[in-house]
Amino acid sequence: MADALAEAAAGGGREAAPVMPGVARTDHLGADGYVRIEGLRKEFDGFVAVDGVSLSIRKGEIFALLGASGCGKSTLLRMLAGFERPTAGSVWIDGACMDGLPPYRRPTNMMFQSYALFPHMTVEQNVAFGLQQEGLPRAEVARRVEEMLALVQMTRFARRRPHQLSGGQQQRVALARSLAKGPKLLLLDEPMGALDRKLRTQMQLELANIIERQGVTCVMVTHDQEEAMTMAHRIAIMDAGRILQVGSPDEVYEQPNSRFTAGFIGSVNLLEGTIDEDETDHITIVCPEVDATVYVGHGVSGYSGQEVALALRPEKIRISRDEPPQPHNKVRGRIEDIAYFGSHSVYHVELASGRRLLVNAANDRRWASEAFTWGDEVWLSWGENEGVVLSS
Ligand code: ATP
């Protein structure tokens, strides 16, 4: 994750891969409420899989449901598609209520993880199938198929059958088929699930580009945070059937609203402590684990004596041999482990209390004569606005 973020830092918009979290273009998006999910709940024999979810999704938005296995994201997606009947709640798409409508009467299309291509049909027949089922005139079907195959750059493979295609090509055909009928809402269930890691990264950008170019609104389900960060304009983090936080990739990364979401996206150091000074322009947190008083350069809606955690990302901590001049937010430790990732290294630094902190440092020099090594005594420090104070 951190790797992807660091790598992404050089990126611009989507065309200039890789995408930097939070800079996905959003200027083309419509107003909120194109897809409205209101109090959606699903129980299976008393087990609550989706627990009162309400969301508002914009036209043209790529919206990711992100969560661990079993958190209820596929059940939520299936309720949008009409494959699952909600126990309570409603779904609205472009002003129309979907309650009680079967899948084939909804303006939605779901692309499954397995792609579900017909093996005995050619690529163009696969894409044409749904259009023919709708009874569209032959010329219109041919025009749509041509347009869709051009969109996913599969025109020259039109006569091949699925087994003659690579995984990435099959996925593009599946996407073309899903988009052919011009759904108002495209649903993607773990879209990269069947691809190997390298192809995944490439296809994430490609798929997001195609979806954006088509302007279709999309809800995708994934357990892969990197995938959500790369593809989505906004992400909903789910746990135990509930939405814990909704935000753009940089919001959920930079401003997590709980210990859970902070830990779920990327790596984080959670420094547990108690608020001591509680002023409007700063607070201090007594953190026994780091044997230091942490200074935060802004006020919080908390109170003196409240238990909180400071969420500090590894790349926000500086590592140095010499003691930094700043009066606060510095601790001494010893390097116990180093993980080398090429562009950066992750240092595991153990403090006197035994607590370990993770620190990222860029490997931006060819000859790192001053590089740190195992057993080095170092100083760690961070700025007064580098962490996020969390009360839940
Ligand atoms: P995964 O990533 O593993 O697919 P998920 O977040 O998509 O997980 P769901 O498939 O939505 O999770 O399942 C949520 C919970 O509901 C799980 O505990 C699952 O066992 C349960 N569940 C899903 N479908 C059914 C069903 N038809 N009958 C009973 N329980 C179900």
Side-chain angles (χ1 to χ4, degrees), residues 217-240:
T217 310
C218 172
V219 175
M220 60 181 275
V221 153
T222 181
H223 66 276
D224 180 343
Q225 47 174 290
E226 198 171 313
E227 194 161 294
M229 300 289 264
T230 306
M231 292 183 67
H233 298 111
R234 282 193 302 157
I235 297 171
I237 299 176
M238 281 190 78
D239 184 44

mmCIF file with all atom_site columns, all heavy atoms in Angstrom, residues 217-240:
data_model
loop_
_atom_site.group_PDB
_atom_site.id
_atom_site.type_symbol
_atom_site.label_atom_id
_atom_site.label_alt_id
_atom_site.label_comp_id
_atom_site.label_asym_id
_atom_site.label_entity_id
_atom_site.label_seq_id
_atom_site.pdbx_PDB_ins_code
_atom_site.Cartn_x
_atom_site.Cartn_y
_atom_site.Cartn_z
_atom_site.occupancy
_atom_site.B_iso_or_equiv
_atom_site.pdbx_formal_charge
_atom_site.auth_seq_id
_atom_site.auth_comp_id
_atom_site.auth_asym_id
_atom_site.auth_atom_id
_atom_site.pdbx_PDB_model_num
ATOM 1   N N   . THR A 1 217 ? -21.950 5.577  -14.173 1.00 0.00 ? 217 THR A N   1
ATOM 2   C CA  . THR A 1 217 ? -21.804 5.531  -12.720 1.00 0.00 ? 217 THR A CA  1
ATOM 3   C C   . THR A 1 217 ? -21.493 4.091  -12.320 1.00 0.00 ? 217 THR A C   1
ATOM 4   O O   . THR A 1 217 ? -22.071 3.157  -12.883 1.00 0.00 ? 217 THR A O   1
ATOM 5   C CB  . THR A 1 217 ? -23.120 5.999  -12.049 1.00 0.00 ? 217 THR A CB  1
ATOM 6   O OG1 . THR A 1 217 ? -23.480 7.234  -12.650 1.00 0.00 ? 217 THR A OG1 1
ATOM 7   C CG2 . THR A 1 217 ? -22.964 6.154  -10.559 1.00 0.00 ? 217 THR A CG2 1
ATOM 8   N N   . CYS A 1 218 ? -20.595 3.924  -11.383 1.00 0.00 ? 218 CYS A N   1
ATOM 9   C CA  . CYS A 1 218 ? -20.113 2.573  -11.096 1.00 0.00 ? 218 CYS A CA  1
ATOM 10  C C   . CYS A 1 218 ? -19.954 2.350  -9.594  1.00 0.00 ? 218 CYS A C   1
ATOM 11  O O   . CYS A 1 218 ? -19.391 3.195  -8.892  1.00 0.00 ? 218 CYS A O   1
ATOM 12  C CB  . CYS A 1 218 ? -18.765 2.409  -11.810 1.00 0.00 ? 218 CYS A CB  1
ATOM 13  S SG  . CYS A 1 218 ? -17.906 0.910  -11.418 1.00 0.00 ? 218 CYS A SG  1
ATOM 14  N N   . VAL A 1 219 ? -20.479 1.228  -9.116  1.00 0.00 ? 219 VAL A N   1
ATOM 15  C CA  . VAL A 1 219 ? -20.198 0.806  -7.741  1.00 0.00 ? 219 VAL A CA  1
ATOM 16  C C   . VAL A 1 219 ? -19.407 -0.485 -7.832  1.00 0.00 ? 219 VAL A C   1
ATOM 17  O O   . VAL A 1 219 ? -19.824 -1.436 -8.500  1.00 0.00 ? 219 VAL A O   1
ATOM 18  C CB  . VAL A 1 219 ? -21.491 0.580  -6.926  1.00 0.00 ? 219 VAL A CB  1
ATOM 19  C CG1 . VAL A 1 219 ? -21.161 0.021  -5.546  1.00 0.00 ? 219 VAL A CG1 1
ATOM 20  C CG2 . VAL A 1 219 ? -22.262 1.886  -6.779  1.00 0.00 ? 219 VAL A CG2 1
ATOM 21  N N   . MET A 1 220 ? -18.242 -0.498 -7.216  1.00 0.00 ? 220 MET A N   1
ATOM 22  C CA  . MET A 1 220 ? -17.407 -1.700 -7.249  1.00 0.00 ? 220 MET A CA  1
ATOM 23  C C   . MET A 1 220 ? -17.159 -2.208 -5.834  1.00 0.00 ? 220 MET A C   1
ATOM 24  O O   . MET A 1 220 ? -17.119 -1.440 -4.885  1.00 0.00 ? 220 MET A O   1
ATOM 25  C CB  . MET A 1 220 ? -16.073 -1.411 -7.941  1.00 0.00 ? 220 MET A CB  1
ATOM 26  C CG  . MET A 1 220 ? -15.241 -0.340 -7.287  1.00 0.00 ? 220 MET A CG  1
ATOM 27  S SD  . MET A 1 220 ? -13.690 -0.040 -8.164  1.00 0.00 ? 220 MET A SD  1
ATOM 28  C CE  . MET A 1 220 ? -12.649 -1.296 -7.462  1.00 0.00 ? 220 MET A CE  1
ATOM 29  N N   . VAL A 1 221 ? -17.002 -3.519 -5.758  1.00 0.00 ? 221 VAL A N   1
ATOM 30  C CA  . VAL A 1 221 ? -16.721 -4.161 -4.485  1.00 0.00 ? 221 VAL A CA  1
ATOM 31  C C   . VAL A 1 221 ? -15.294 -4.696 -4.527  1.00 0.00 ? 221 VAL A C   1
ATOM 32  O O   . VAL A 1 221 ? -14.889 -5.310 -5.508  1.00 0.00 ? 221 VAL A O   1
ATOM 33  C CB  . VAL A 1 221 ? -17.703 -5.341 -4.296  1.00 0.00 ? 221 VAL A CB  1
ATOM 34  C CG1 . VAL A 1 221 ? -17.119 -6.411 -3.409  1.00 0.00 ? 221 VAL A CG1 1
ATOM 35  C CG2 . VAL A 1 221 ? -19.014 -4.850 -3.729  1.00 0.00 ? 221 VAL A CG2 1
ATOM 36  N N   . THR A 1 222 ? -14.535 -4.399 -3.512  1.00 0.00 ? 222 THR A N   1
ATOM 37  C CA  . THR A 1 222 ? -13.188 -4.959 -3.458  1.00 0.00 ? 222 THR A CA  1
ATOM 38  C C   . THR A 1 222 ? -12.720 -5.100 -2.007  1.00 0.00 ? 222 THR A C   1
ATOM 39  O O   . THR A 1 222 ? -13.176 -4.371 -1.126  1.00 0.00 ? 222 THR A O   1
ATOM 40  C CB  . THR A 1 222 ? -12.183 -4.090 -4.263  1.00 0.00 ? 222 THR A CB  1
ATOM 41  O OG1 . THR A 1 222 ? -10.896 -4.675 -4.197  1.00 0.00 ? 222 THR A OG1 1
ATOM 42  C CG2 . THR A 1 222 ? -12.104 -2.660 -3.745  1.00 0.00 ? 222 THR A CG2 1
ATOM 43  N N   . HIS A 1 223 ? -11.823 -6.064 -1.782  1.00 0.00 ? 223 HIS A N   1
ATOM 44  C CA  . HIS A 1 223 ? -11.208 -6.153 -0.461  1.00 0.00 ? 223 HIS A CA  1
ATOM 45  C C   . HIS A 1 223 ? -9.788  -5.585 -0.536  1.00 0.00 ? 223 HIS A C   1
ATOM 46  O O   . HIS A 1 223 ? -9.067  -5.565 0.441   1.00 0.00 ? 223 HIS A O   1
ATOM 47  C CB  . HIS A 1 223 ? -11.164 -7.613 0.014   1.00 0.00 ? 223 HIS A CB  1
ATOM 48  C CG  . HIS A 1 223 ? -10.270 -8.459 -0.830  1.00 0.00 ? 223 HIS A CG  1
ATOM 49  N ND1 . HIS A 1 223 ? -10.694 -9.030 -2.009  1.00 0.00 ? 223 HIS A ND1 1
ATOM 50  C CD2 . HIS A 1 223 ? -8.976  -8.765 -0.701  1.00 0.00 ? 223 HIS A CD2 1
ATOM 51  C CE1 . HIS A 1 223 ? -9.683  -9.661 -2.567  1.00 0.00 ? 223 HIS A CE1 1
ATOM 52  N NE2 . HIS A 1 223 ? -8.633  -9.516 -1.807  1.00 0.00 ? 223 HIS A NE2 1
ATOM 53  N N   . ASP A 1 224 ? -9.421  -5.105 -1.751  1.00 0.00 ? 224 ASP A N   1
ATOM 54  C CA  . ASP A 1 224 ? -8.053  -4.680 -2.005  1.00 0.00 ? 224 ASP A CA  1
ATOM 55  C C   . ASP A 1 224 ? -7.976  -3.147 -1.947  1.00 0.00 ? 224 ASP A C   1
ATOM 56  O O   . ASP A 1 224 ? -8.477  -2.448 -2.824  1.00 0.00 ? 224 ASP A O   1
ATOM 57  C CB  . ASP A 1 224 ? -7.657  -5.193 -3.401  1.00 0.00 ? 224 ASP A CB  1
ATOM 58  C CG  . ASP A 1 224 ? -6.240  -4.816 -3.782  1.00 0.00 ? 224 ASP A CG  1
ATOM 59  O OD1 . ASP A 1 224 ? -5.668  -3.913 -3.139  1.00 0.00 ? 224 ASP A OD1 1
ATOM 60  O OD2 . ASP A 1 224 ? -5.715  -5.405 -4.731  1.00 0.00 ? 224 ASP A OD2 1
ATOM 61  N N   . GLN A 1 225 ? -7.356  -2.638 -0.903  1.00 0.00 ? 225 GLN A N   1
ATOM 62  C CA  . GLN A 1 225 ? -7.346  -1.185 -0.695  1.00 0.00 ? 225 GLN A CA  1
ATOM 63  C C   . GLN A 1 225 ? -6.624  -0.458 -1.821  1.00 0.00 ? 225 GLN A C   1
ATOM 64  O O   . GLN A 1 225 ? -7.022  0.627  -2.224  1.00 0.00 ? 225 GLN A O   1
ATOM 65  C CB  . GLN A 1 225 ? -6.691  -0.854 0.641   1.00 0.00 ? 225 GLN A CB  1
ATOM 66  C CG  . GLN A 1 225 ? -5.415  -1.575 0.872   1.00 0.00 ? 225 GLN A CG  1
ATOM 67  C CD  . GLN A 1 225 ? -4.737  -1.108 2.146   1.00 0.00 ? 225 GLN A CD  1
ATOM 68  O OE1 . GLN A 1 225 ? -4.262  -0.008 2.205   1.00 0.00 ? 225 GLN A OE1 1
ATOM 69  N NE2 . GLN A 1 225 ? -4.688  -1.956 3.133   1.00 0.00 ? 225 GLN A NE2 1
ATOM 70  N N   . GLU A 1 226 ? -5.585  -1.082 -2.365  1.00 0.00 ? 226 GLU A N   1
ATOM 71  C CA  . GLU A 1 226 ? -4.831  -0.442 -3.438  1.00 0.00 ? 226 GLU A CA  1
ATOM 72  C C   . GLU A 1 226 ? -5.730  -0.258 -4.670  1.00 0.00 ? 226 GLU A C   1
ATOM 73  O O   . GLU A 1 226 ? -5.693  0.763  -5.346  1.00 0.00 ? 226 GLU A O   1
ATOM 74  C CB  . GLU A 1 226 ? -3.628  -1.323 -3.774  1.00 0.00 ? 226 GLU A CB  1
ATOM 75  C CG  . GLU A 1 226 ? -2.559  -0.599 -4.525  1.00 0.00 ? 226 GLU A CG  1
ATOM 76  C CD  . GLU A 1 226 ? -1.325  -1.463 -4.638  1.00 0.00 ? 226 GLU A CD  1
ATOM 77  O OE1 . GLU A 1 226 ? -0.907  -2.048 -3.616  1.00 0.00 ? 226 GLU A OE1 1
ATOM 78  O OE2 . GLU A 1 226 ? -0.802  -1.565 -5.757  1.00 0.00 ? 226 GLU A OE2 1
ATOM 79  N N   . GLU A 1 227 ? -6.547  -1.285 -4.908  1.00 0.00 ? 227 GLU A N   1
ATOM 80  C CA  . GLU A 1 227 ? -7.474  -1.239 -6.036  1.00 0.00 ? 227 GLU A CA  1
ATOM 81  C C   . GLU A 1 227 ? -8.491  -0.105 -5.852  1.00 0.00 ? 227 GLU A C   1
ATOM 82  O O   . GLU A 1 227 ? -8.765  0.663  -6.768  1.00 0.00 ? 227 GLU A O   1
ATOM 83  C CB  . GLU A 1 227 ? -8.206  -2.571 -6.095  1.00 0.00 ? 227 GLU A CB  1
ATOM 84  C CG  . GLU A 1 227 ? -8.952  -2.821 -7.358  1.00 0.00 ? 227 GLU A CG  1
ATOM 85  C CD  . GLU A 1 227 ? -9.210  -4.312 -7.467  1.00 0.00 ? 227 GLU A CD  1
ATOM 86  O OE1 . GLU A 1 227 ? -8.223  -5.055 -7.602  1.00 0.00 ? 227 GLU A OE1 1
ATOM 87  O OE2 . GLU A 1 227 ? -10.369 -4.716 -7.373  1.00 0.00 ? 227 GLU A OE2 1
ATOM 88  N N   . ALA A 1 228 ? -9.029  -0.018 -4.647  1.00 0.00 ? 228 ALA A N   1
ATOM 89  C CA  . ALA A 1 228 ? -10.003 1.040  -4.355  1.00 0.00 ? 228 ALA A CA  1
ATOM 90  C C   . ALA A 1 228 ? -9.337  2.407  -4.485  1.00 0.00 ? 228 ALA A C   1
ATOM 91  O O   . ALA A 1 228 ? -9.897  3.331  -5.080  1.00 0.00 ? 228 ALA A O   1
ATOM 92  C CB  . ALA A 1 228 ? -10.575 0.849  -2.953  1.00 0.00 ? 228 ALA A CB  1
ATOM 93  N N   . MET A 1 229 ? -8.129  2.549  -3.952  1.00 0.00 ? 229 MET A N   1
ATOM 94  C CA  . MET A 1 229 ? -7.429  3.843  -3.996  1.00 0.00 ? 229 MET A CA  1
ATOM 95  C C   . MET A 1 229 ? -7.115  4.249  -5.430  1.00 0.00 ? 229 MET A C   1
ATOM 96  O O   . MET A 1 229 ? -7.117  5.417  -5.771  1.00 0.00 ? 229 MET A O   1
ATOM 97  C CB  . MET A 1 229 ? -6.103  3.772  -3.228  1.00 0.00 ? 229 MET A CB  1
ATOM 98  C CG  . MET A 1 229 ? -6.207  3.421  -1.778  1.00 0.00 ? 229 MET A CG  1
ATOM 99  S SD  . MET A 1 229 ? -6.921  4.726  -0.808  1.00 0.00 ? 229 MET A SD  1
ATOM 100 C CE  . MET A 1 229 ? -5.487  5.550  -0.184  1.00 0.00 ? 229 MET A CE  1
ATOM 101 N N   . THR A 1 230 ? -6.802  3.260  -6.274  1.00 0.00 ? 230 THR A N   1
ATOM 102 C CA  . THR A 1 230 ? -6.419  3.568  -7.650  1.00 0.00 ? 230 THR A CA  1
ATOM 103 C C   . THR A 1 230 ? -7.631  3.903  -8.502  1.00 0.00 ? 230 THR A C   1
ATOM 104 O O   . THR A 1 230 ? -7.576  4.807  -9.331  1.00 0.00 ? 230 THR A O   1
ATOM 105 C CB  . THR A 1 230 ? -5.693  2.353  -8.275  1.00 0.00 ? 230 THR A CB  1
ATOM 106 O OG1 . THR A 1 230 ? -4.620  1.992  -7.419  1.00 0.00 ? 230 THR A OG1 1
ATOM 107 C CG2 . THR A 1 230 ? -5.137  2.680  -9.644  1.00 0.00 ? 230 THR A CG2 1
ATOM 108 N N   . MET A 1 231 ? -8.712  3.162  -8.313  1.00 0.00 ? 231 MET A N   1
ATOM 109 C CA  . MET A 1 231 ? -9.829  3.273  -9.256  1.00 0.00 ? 231 MET A CA  1
ATOM 110 C C   . MET A 1 231 ? -10.931 4.252  -8.849  1.00 0.00 ? 231 MET A C   1
ATOM 111 O O   . MET A 1 231 ? -11.576 4.835  -9.703  1.00 0.00 ? 231 MET A O   1
ATOM 112 C CB  . MET A 1 231 ? -10.462 1.896  -9.467  1.00 0.00 ? 231 MET A CB  1
ATOM 113 C CG  . MET A 1 231 ? -9.564  0.935  -10.202 1.00 0.00 ? 231 MET A CG  1
ATOM 114 S SD  . MET A 1 231 ? -10.388 -0.645 -10.513 1.00 0.00 ? 231 MET A SD  1
ATOM 115 C CE  . MET A 1 231 ? -11.672 -0.196 -11.663 1.00 0.00 ? 231 MET A CE  1
ATOM 116 N N   . ALA A 1 232 ? -11.161 4.390  -7.545  1.00 0.00 ? 232 ALA A N   1
ATOM 117 C CA  . ALA A 1 232 ? -12.400 5.054  -7.117  1.00 0.00 ? 232 ALA A CA  1
ATOM 118 C C   . ALA A 1 232 ? -12.240 6.551  -6.887  1.00 0.00 ? 232 ALA A C   1
ATOM 119 O O   . ALA A 1 232 ? -11.188 7.019  -6.472  1.00 0.00 ? 232 ALA A O   1
ATOM 120 C CB  . ALA A 1 232 ? -12.913 4.389  -5.848  1.00 0.00 ? 232 ALA A CB  1
ATOM 121 N N   . HIS A 1 233 ? -13.328 7.290  -7.152  1.00 0.00 ? 233 HIS A N   1
ATOM 122 C CA  . HIS A 1 233 ? -13.379 8.690  -6.736  1.00 0.00 ? 233 HIS A CA  1
ATOM 123 C C   . HIS A 1 233 ? -13.637 8.768  -5.240  1.00 0.00 ? 233 HIS A C   1
ATOM 124 O O   . HIS A 1 233 ? -13.088 9.607  -4.551  1.00 0.00 ? 233 HIS A O   1
ATOM 125 C CB  . HIS A 1 233 ? -14.502 9.424  -7.472  1.00 0.00 ? 233 HIS A CB  1
ATOM 126 C CG  . HIS A 1 233 ? -14.312 9.456  -8.955  1.00 0.00 ? 233 HIS A CG  1
ATOM 127 N ND1 . HIS A 1 233 ? -15.116 8.771  -9.825  1.00 0.00 ? 233 HIS A ND1 1
ATOM 128 C CD2 . HIS A 1 233 ? -13.389 10.074 -9.721  1.00 0.00 ? 233 HIS A CD2 1
ATOM 129 C CE1 . HIS A 1 233 ? -14.704 8.989  -11.068 1.00 0.00 ? 233 HIS A CE1 1
ATOM 130 N NE2 . HIS A 1 233 ? -13.652 9.759  -11.028 1.00 0.00 ? 233 HIS A NE2 1
ATOM 131 N N   . ARG A 1 234 ? -14.534 7.881  -4.770  1.00 0.00 ? 234 ARG A N   1
ATOM 132 C CA  . ARG A 1 234 ? -14.782 7.818  -3.324  1.00 0.00 ? 234 ARG A CA  1
ATOM 133 C C   . ARG A 1 234 ? -14.836 6.359  -2.878  1.00 0.00 ? 234 ARG A C   1
ATOM 134 O O   . ARG A 1 234 ? -15.175 5.464  -3.657  1.00 0.00 ? 234 ARG A O   1
ATOM 135 C CB  . ARG A 1 234 ? -16.097 8.510  -2.964  1.00 0.00 ? 234 ARG A CB  1
ATOM 136 C CG  . ARG A 1 234 ? -15.955 10.029 -2.934  1.00 0.00 ? 234 ARG A CG  1
ATOM 137 C CD  . ARG A 1 234 ? -17.153 10.667 -2.280  1.00 0.00 ? 234 ARG A CD  1
ATOM 138 N NE  . ARG A 1 234 ? -18.383 10.310 -2.962  1.00 0.00 ? 234 ARG A NE  1
ATOM 139 C CZ  . ARG A 1 234 ? -19.585 10.347 -2.398  1.00 0.00 ? 234 ARG A CZ  1
ATOM 140 N NH1 . ARG A 1 234 ? -19.711 10.715 -1.133  1.00 0.00 ? 234 ARG A NH1 1
ATOM 141 N NH2 . ARG A 1 234 ? -20.654 10.020 -3.079  1.00 0.00 ? 234 ARG A NH2 1
ATOM 142 N N   . ILE A 1 235 ? -14.540 6.181  -1.616  1.00 0.00 ? 235 ILE A N   1
ATOM 143 C CA  . ILE A 1 235 ? -14.475 4.840  -1.035  1.00 0.00 ? 235 ILE A CA  1
ATOM 144 C C   . ILE A 1 235 ? -15.356 4.817  0.213   1.00 0.00 ? 235 ILE A C   1
ATOM 145 O O   . ILE A 1 235 ? -15.330 5.765  1.005   1.00 0.00 ? 235 ILE A O   1
ATOM 146 C CB  . ILE A 1 235 ? -13.018 4.530  -0.609  1.00 0.00 ? 235 ILE A CB  1
ATOM 147 C CG1 . ILE A 1 235 ? -12.089 4.521  -1.829  1.00 0.00 ? 235 ILE A CG1 1
ATOM 148 C CG2 . ILE A 1 235 ? -12.933 3.214  0.156   1.00 0.00 ? 235 ILE A CG2 1
ATOM 149 C CD1 . ILE A 1 235 ? -10.616 4.434  -1.464  1.00 0.00 ? 235 ILE A CD1 1
ATOM 150 N N   . ALA A 1 236 ? -16.127 3.726  0.369   1.00 0.00 ? 236 ALA A N   1
ATOM 151 C CA  . ALA A 1 236 ? -16.833 3.511  1.634   1.00 0.00 ? 236 ALA A CA  1
ATOM 152 C C   . ALA A 1 236 ? -16.150 2.334  2.327   1.00 0.00 ? 236 ALA A C   1
ATOM 153 O O   . ALA A 1 236 ? -16.050 1.253  1.746   1.00 0.00 ? 236 ALA A O   1
ATOM 154 C CB  . ALA A 1 236 ? -18.303 3.190  1.383   1.00 0.00 ? 236 ALA A CB  1
ATOM 155 N N   . ILE A 1 237 ? -15.687 2.559  3.533   1.00 0.00 ? 237 ILE A N   1
ATOM 156 C CA  . ILE A 1 237 ? -15.048 1.468  4.279   1.00 0.00 ? 237 ILE A CA  1
ATOM 157 C C   . ILE A 1 237 ? -16.112 0.776  5.110   1.00 0.00 ? 237 ILE A C   1
ATOM 158 O O   . ILE A 1 237 ? -16.826 1.420  5.884   1.00 0.00 ? 237 ILE A O   1
ATOM 159 C CB  . ILE A 1 237 ? -13.913 1.999  5.175   1.00 0.00 ? 237 ILE A CB  1
ATOM 160 C CG1 . ILE A 1 237 ? -12.852 2.661  4.292   1.00 0.00 ? 237 ILE A CG1 1
ATOM 161 C CG2 . ILE A 1 237 ? -13.310 0.874  6.010   1.00 0.00 ? 237 ILE A CG2 1
ATOM 162 C CD1 . ILE A 1 237 ? -11.742 3.297  5.044   1.00 0.00 ? 237 ILE A CD1 1
ATOM 163 N N   . MET A 1 238 ? -16.239 -0.544 4.904   1.00 0.00 ? 238 MET A N   1
ATOM 164 C CA  . MET A 1 238 ? -17.293 -1.319 5.578   1.00 0.00 ? 238 MET A CA  1
ATOM 165 C C   . MET A 1 238 ? -16.708 -2.270 6.605   1.00 0.00 ? 238 MET A C   1
ATOM 166 O O   . MET A 1 238 ? -15.633 -2.813 6.415   1.00 0.00 ? 238 MET A O   1
ATOM 167 C CB  . MET A 1 238 ? -18.064 -2.165 4.553   1.00 0.00 ? 238 MET A CB  1
ATOM 168 C CG  . MET A 1 238 ? -19.080 -1.406 3.754   1.00 0.00 ? 238 MET A CG  1
ATOM 169 S SD  . MET A 1 238 ? -20.118 -2.550 2.785   1.00 0.00 ? 238 MET A SD  1
ATOM 170 C CE  . MET A 1 238 ? -21.263 -3.164 4.041   1.00 0.00 ? 238 MET A CE  1
ATOM 171 N N   . ASP A 1 239 ? -17.456 -2.462 7.669   1.00 0.00 ? 239 ASP A N   1
ATOM 172 C CA  . ASP A 1 239 ? -17.119 -3.486 8.651   1.00 0.00 ? 239 ASP A CA  1
ATOM 173 C C   . ASP A 1 239 ? -18.421 -3.968 9.279   1.00 0.00 ? 239 ASP A C   1
ATOM 174 O O   . ASP A 1 239 ? -19.267 -3.136 9.644   1.00 0.00 ? 239 ASP A O   1
ATOM 175 C CB  . ASP A 1 239 ? -16.172 -2.914 9.719   1.00 0.00 ? 239 ASP A CB  1
ATOM 176 C CG  . ASP A 1 239 ? -15.721 -3.980 10.701  1.00 0.00 ? 239 ASP A CG  1
ATOM 177 O OD1 . ASP A 1 239 ? -15.373 -5.091 10.263  1.00 0.00 ? 239 ASP A OD1 1
ATOM 178 O OD2 . ASP A 1 239 ? -15.735 -3.701 11.913  1.00 0.00 ? 239 ASP A OD2 1
ATOM 179 N N   . ALA A 1 240 ? -18.571 -5.274 9.391   1.00 0.00 ? 240 ALA A N   1
ATOM 180 C CA  . ALA A 1 240 ? -19.741 -5.886 10.034  1.00 0.00 ? 240 ALA A CA  1
ATOM 181 C C   . ALA A 1 240 ? -21.067 -5.279 9.559   1.00 0.00 ? 240 ALA A C   1
ATOM 182 O O   . ALA A 1 240 ? -21.927 -4.905 10.358  1.00 0.00 ? 240 ALA A O   1
ATOM 183 C CB  . ALA A 1 240 ? -19.621 -5.758 11.562  1.00 0.00 ? 240 ALA A CB  1
#
